[in-house]
């Protein structure tokens, strides 16, 4: 899956899960009813969704210009941190305004999300890429994404880290692991 479809599916899943968790956490932390925290979480999710679309478009444009486009651990960490830093700068004033609290109080309230979201973003991106494959911006020129995956499996098998099919059901075991 590539292009706009990929971005919409990515952002939709990311934000729906974030909305559910955000409402529950804000209700628990603030003691406010879900009728107050739910709309706030929806507003925050809307801002985050818009930023997510813009940020991922910019990040993938930057990624396309890199000599090595591989999504390394370092690149994934950079992605998560840059996304979160700008998002916090947008959301803290919004939280303060909505709940009629100071920026410091809003920042303290948002601290839970400041800590949680980079880990969530990292894990969600990793899982999404595992399920749907990486975007074309993360594939080096002339590299078939399927080839990379099969090379990684062969390498793991050589090192003894992947289960080696043997005996009864070996064909099913190797096709299930593929």
């Amino acid at each position: 899956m590539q292009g706009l479809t990929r971005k919409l599916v990515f952002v939709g899943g990311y934000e729906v899960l974030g909305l559910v968790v955000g409402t529950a956490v804000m209700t628990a932390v603030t003691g406010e009813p879900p009728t107050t925290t739910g709309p706030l979480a929806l507003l925050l999710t809307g801002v985050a969704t818009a930023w997510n679309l813009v940020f991922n478009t910019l990040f993938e444009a930057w990624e396309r210009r890199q000599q090595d486009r591989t999504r390394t651990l370092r690149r994934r960490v950079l992605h998560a941190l840059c996304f979160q830093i700008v998002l916090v700068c947008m959301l803290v004033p919004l939280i303060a305004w909505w709940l009629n609290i100071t920026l410091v109080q809003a920042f303290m309230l948002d601290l839970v999300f400041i800590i949680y979201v980079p880990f969530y973003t990292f894990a969600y991106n990793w899982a999404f890429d595992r399920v749907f494959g990486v975007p074309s911006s993360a594939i080096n020129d002339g590299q078939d994404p399927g080839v990379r995956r099969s090379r990684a499996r062969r390498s793991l098998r050589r090192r003894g880290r992947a289960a080696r099919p043997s005996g009864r059901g070996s064909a099913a075991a190797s096709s299930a692991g593929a």
Side-chain angles (χ1 to χ4, degrees):
M1 179 185 338
Q2 297 294 327
L4 184 58
T5 301
R6 177 188 173 80
K7 285 181 178 67
L8 293 175
V9 170
F10 174 87
V11 170
Y14 181 91
E15 297 304 339
V16 166
L17 186 57
L19 176 62
V20 170
V21 172
T23 300
V25 169
M26 277 201 280
T27 298
V29 170
T30 64
E32 295 285 334
T35 54
T36 299
T37 59
L40 175 57
L42 188 58
L43 184 59
L44 298 177
T45 298
V47 170
T49 299
W51 172 235
N52 201 328
L53 282 169
V54 169
F55 179 77
N56 283 317
T57 299
L58 294 171
F59 189 85
E60 288 175 11
W62 169 82
E63 196 171 48
R64 270 187 209 89
R65 292 190 310 269
Q66 303 310 301
Q67 185 174 2
D68 181 5
R69 297 177 181 175
T70 306
R71 287 212 170 162
T72 61
L73 176 64
R74 181 177 180 214
R75 188 167 290 177
R76 289 179 186 280
V77 168
L78 174 72
H79 179 275
L81 289 176
C82 290
F83 173 81
Q84 183 61 23
I85 288 167
V86 175
L87 187 61
V88 166
C89 292
M90 289 188 278
L91 296 185
V92 168
L94 190 56
I95 293 168
W97 172 76
W98 187 273
L99 296 175
N100 197 26
I101 58 177
T102 68
L103 288 174
V104 173
Q105 289 171 318
F107 179 78
M108 295 307 291
L109 177 59
D110 197 37
L111 194 56
V112 172
F113 296 105
I114 292 168
I115 294 167
Y116 164 75
V117 170
F119 292 102
Y120 169 66
T121 300
F122 178 87
Y124 185 88
N125 276 291
W126 180 82
F128 190 88
D129 286 350
R130 296 284 296 174
V131 171
F132 294 104
V134 296
S136 59
S137 65
I139 300 171
N140 290 317
D141 293 333
Q143 180 183 16
D144 176 21
V147 170
R148 184 173 168 214
R149 223 176 266 134
S150 65
R151 283 183 191 152
R153 280 194 202 102
R154 280 195 305 268
S155 176
L156 286 174
R157 277 193 216 111
R158 273 188 241 123
R159 291 185 220 147
R161 293 184 183 157
R164 291 192 175 128
S166 63
R168 193 168 30 121
S170 63
S174 38
S175 66

